[in-house]
């Protein structure tokens, strides 16, 4: 990269990246931690999947795409937060990997920092990607990668608990009917709904479907719609429909509560599907309803395959072939099945649904999903998110009313 680009990689950028949500806790190295190899026939890939070691389907795919492209692929895996910081450091040293697979909220930050090339520059084809998913990698009217897959949030429900409370799942179409169902469940002696409202990005992530489902926008946290969403959660706690533990719940501990078999509903993601299959009760999945009906927009999780800026621009041609292989229809299907992701293209979504009908509500949820950095929020999102989770914490703990909590949040963002 040129010097002017390197100078833009400031401490501020590092701070913004540190706020991105992390999903794993360890790292592994299947190659070299150096981005550039001495052999010009070697191309480097960095990813956030340390759980996949040599011999895994993911690593086999990387090797296969390397062979198909006529190069050797050297892969390094990091946990999510470490990966973004390593990417910034490598860019400062003009030593970026050829392919960088990133958690989608970080894409706009690294793009603004000059770390990533646009799809116009690297010629990666995104024409078949669902627009709402591609938006997470767009900023300033330009696209900086292509999603490898997406996960999002929905409501898991316990069929036995609902049956015992006399609740027909088909009757739940909006907030009013959902709250009525929670009331019936409580009267039947069971527990209503659990979720994560912890004071981190996880808390914002779980609140966003309700916030967006009210019609609120992240540029106006204290709108009447936003207040109604926070009031919904706050009222659920006051009435005993949701436990006070949600204030400290992560998505993992929230799932553990649901797995006890006592709860009617749990807000959680596709990554819990394997655990759901192990549960001692029949479960179903319902897209999160909007305030007045329809499916609320839930935030998209998942990664983008990006191409970092290289001093040797001739490498982009081969890199584009690697990315095209990794994101081809056949390979996306296998990869997204491994990652419990919904594919970013309708063609692969259809293949997933044909193979497993239980994915239908997840496909519906992803089709309604929205990137956290969409609406031109880009690098402003982490600051907004931090104030949002603080507002949720204040309201649910009872230290502030929902309106006062969100007013303080909006003032802090300004």
């Amino acid at each position: 990269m040129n010097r002017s680009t390197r100078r833009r990689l400031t401490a501020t950028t590092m701070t913004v990246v540190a706020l991105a949500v992390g999903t794993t806790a360890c790292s592994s190295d299947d190659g070299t931690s150096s981005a550039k190899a001495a052999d010009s026939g070697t191309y480097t890939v960095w990813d956030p999947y340390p759980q996949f070691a040599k011999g895994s389907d993911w690593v086999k795919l990387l090797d296969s795409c390397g062979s198909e492209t006529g190069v050797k692929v050297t892969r390094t895996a990091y946990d999510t937060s470490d990966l973004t910081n390593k990417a910034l450091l490598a860019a400062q040293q003009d030593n970026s990997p050829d392919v960088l697979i990133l958690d989608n909220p970080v894409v706009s930050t690294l793009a603004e920092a000059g770390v990533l090339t646009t799809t116009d520059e690297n010629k990666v084809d995104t024409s078949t990607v669902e627009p709402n998913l591609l938006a997470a990698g767009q900023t300033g009217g330009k696209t900086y990668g292509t999603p490898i897959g997406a996960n999002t949030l929905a409501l898991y429900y316990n069929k036995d608990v609902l049956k015992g409370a006399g609740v027909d799942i088909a009757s739940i179409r909006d907030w009013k009917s959902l709250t009525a169902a929670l009331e019936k469940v409580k009267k039947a002696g069971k527990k209503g709904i659990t979720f994560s409202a912890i004071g981190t990005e996880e808390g914002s992530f779980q609140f966003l479907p309700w916030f967006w489902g009210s019609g609120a926008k992240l540029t106006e946290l204290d709108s009447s719609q936003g207040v109604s969403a926070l009031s919904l959660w706050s009222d659920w706690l006051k009435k005993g429909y949701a436990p006070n533990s949600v204030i400290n719940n992560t998505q993992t501990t929230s799932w553990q509560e649901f797995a006890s078999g006592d709860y009617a509903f749990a807000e959680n993601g596709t990554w819990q599907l394997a655990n759901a299959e192990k549960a001692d009760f029949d479960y179903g999945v319902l897209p999160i309803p909007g305030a007045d009906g329809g499916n609320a927009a839930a935030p998209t999780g998942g990664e983008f395959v990006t191409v970092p800026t290289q001093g040797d621009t001739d490498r982009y041609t081969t890199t584009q072939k690697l990315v095209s292989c990794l994101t081809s229809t056949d390979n996306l299907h296998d990869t997204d099945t491994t990652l419990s992701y919904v594919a970013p293209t309708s063609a692969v979504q259809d293949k997933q649904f044909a193979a497993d009908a239980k994915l239908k509500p997840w496909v519906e949820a992803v089709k309604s999903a929205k990137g956290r950095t969409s609406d031109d929020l880009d690098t402003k999102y982490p600051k907004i998110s931090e104030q949002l989770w603080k507002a949720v914490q204040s309201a649910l703990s009872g230290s502030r009313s929902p309106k006062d909590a969100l007013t303080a949040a909006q003032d802090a963002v300004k």
Side-chain angles (χ1 to χ4, degrees):
M1 296 194 306
N2 59 43
R3 292 182 180 177
S4 63
T5 299
R6 286 198 295 269
R7 283 199 298 269
R8 294 171 60 195
L9 299 167
T10 63
T12 300
T13 302
M14 296 287 281
T15 300
V16 171
V17 169
L19 291 173
V21 61
T23 56
T24 51
C26 61
S27 64
S28 65
D29 192 340
D30 289 295
T32 173
S33 60
S34 173
K36 292 291 188 298
D39 181 0
S40 62
T42 298
Y43 279 67
T44 52
V45 176
W46 288 2
D47 68 51
Y49 310 131
Q51 68 270 35
F52 298 133
K54 285 183 178 179
S56 66
D57 289 342
W58 170 246
V59 176
K60 288 178 181 177
L61 173 60
L62 292 174
D63 292 339
S64 174
C65 285
S67 297
E68 183 178 313
T69 308
V71 298
K72 177 184 177 182
V73 170
T74 301
R75 174 251 188 170
T76 305
Y78 299 98
D79 72 273
T80 298
S81 57
D82 195 27
L83 174 61
T84 51
N85 291 328
K86 292 285 188 183
L88 283 165
L89 181 61
Q92 287 177 318
Q93 298 170 343
D94 195 14
N95 195 35
S96 294
D98 294 288
V99 177
L100 179 61
I101 303 176
L102 290 167
D103 193 23
N104 74 67
V106 183
V107 174
S108 59
T109 298
L110 294 192
E112 186 173 293
V115 176
L116 307 177
T117 60
T118 69
T119 52
D120 286 339
E121 293 170 320
N122 57 46
K123 308 304 180 187
V124 170
D125 181 15
T126 61
S127 61
T128 61
V129 177
E130 295 292 313
N132 66 315
L133 301 182
L134 190 62
Q138 294 175 324
T139 179
K142 297 179 179 179
T143 303
Y144 289 88
T146 187
I148 200 167
N151 55 31
T152 194
L153 297 165
L155 293 179
Y156 287 88
Y157 59 89
N158 184 319
K159 293 182 179 181
D160 296 334
V161 170
L162 292 183
K163 183 178 180 180
V167 175
D168 179 2
I169 193 66
S171 69
I172 299 174
R173 301 178 181 277
D174 51 24
W175 291 1
K176 183 178 180 180
S177 54
L178 175 58
T179 301
L182 296 178
E183 182 179 7
K184 286 184 177 181
V185 168
K186 184 184 178 184
K187 287 181 177 179
K190 292 293 186 177
K191 299 177 181 179
I193 186 169
T194 180
F195 47 87
S196 169
I198 193 171
T200 68
E201 174 64 21
E202 280 190 73
S204 292
F205 189 77
Q206 289 240 319
F207 182 59
L208 279 174
W210 311 96
F211 185 81
W212 283 333
S214 72
K217 297 180 179 179
L218 287 172
T219 52
E220 190 180 352
L221 296 178
D222 57 349
S223 67
S224 60
Q225 295 95 329
V227 171
S228 72
L230 189 48
S231 296
L232 179 74
W233 271 21
S234 180
D235 289 346
W236 283 350
L237 263 68
K238 290 176 182 177
K239 294 177 180 178
Y241 299 162
N244 290 325
S245 59
V246 299
I247 297 174
N248 297 311
N249 268 349
T250 64
Q251 293 180 109
T252 299
T253 56
S254 172
W255 179 262
Q256 290 168 348
E257 288 180 336
F258 179 67
S260 70
D262 292 329
Y263 283 85
F265 297 94
E267 180 183 359
N268 229 295
T270 52
W271 51 89
Q272 298 291 3
L273 280 171
N275 287 327
E277 290 295 324
K278 299 175 184 176
D280 293 330
F281 51 83
D282 289 336
Y283 78 94
V285 178
L286 177 74
I288 295 172
D292 299 318
N295 295 341
T300 55
E303 291 77 42
F304 265 62
V305 184
T306 68
V307 179
T309 302
Q310 301 290 343
D312 180 5
T313 58
D314 289 340
R315 298 180 71 85
Y316 295 150
T317 300
T318 299
T319 301
Q320 183 271 334
K321 294 178 182 177
L322 277 174
V323 174
S324 295
C325 178
L326 291 172
T327 58
S328 69
T329 297
D330 289 340
N331 289 335
L332 272 178
H333 178 268
D334 294 342
T335 297
D336 289 335
T337 299
T338 298
L339 296 172
S340 291
Y341 282 173
V342 173
T345 67
S346 59
V348 184
Q349 289 174 1
D350 290 344
K351 288 185 65 175
Q352 289 181 302
F353 177 63
D356 185 358
K358 289 183 178 180
L359 289 176
K360 181 180 179 180
W362 292 109
V363 172
E364 290 179 6
V366 164
K367 285 183 179 295
S368 300
K370 185 175 182 178
R372 283 164 277 177
T373 58
S374 297
D375 298 331
D376 295 322
L377 293 179
D378 303 329
T379 56
K380 296 188 287 291
Y381 172 75
K383 183 177 181 180
I384 294 171
S385 175
E386 181 179 9
Q387 296 307 319
L388 188 61
W389 80 57
K390 286 180 177 179
V392 170
Q393 287 271 298
S394 294
L396 298 192
S397 66
S399 63
R400 280 179 169 165
S401 69
K403 180 175 176 56
D404 288 346
L406 288 171
T407 297
Q410 183 62 30
D411 289 343
V413 170
K414 288 180 181 179

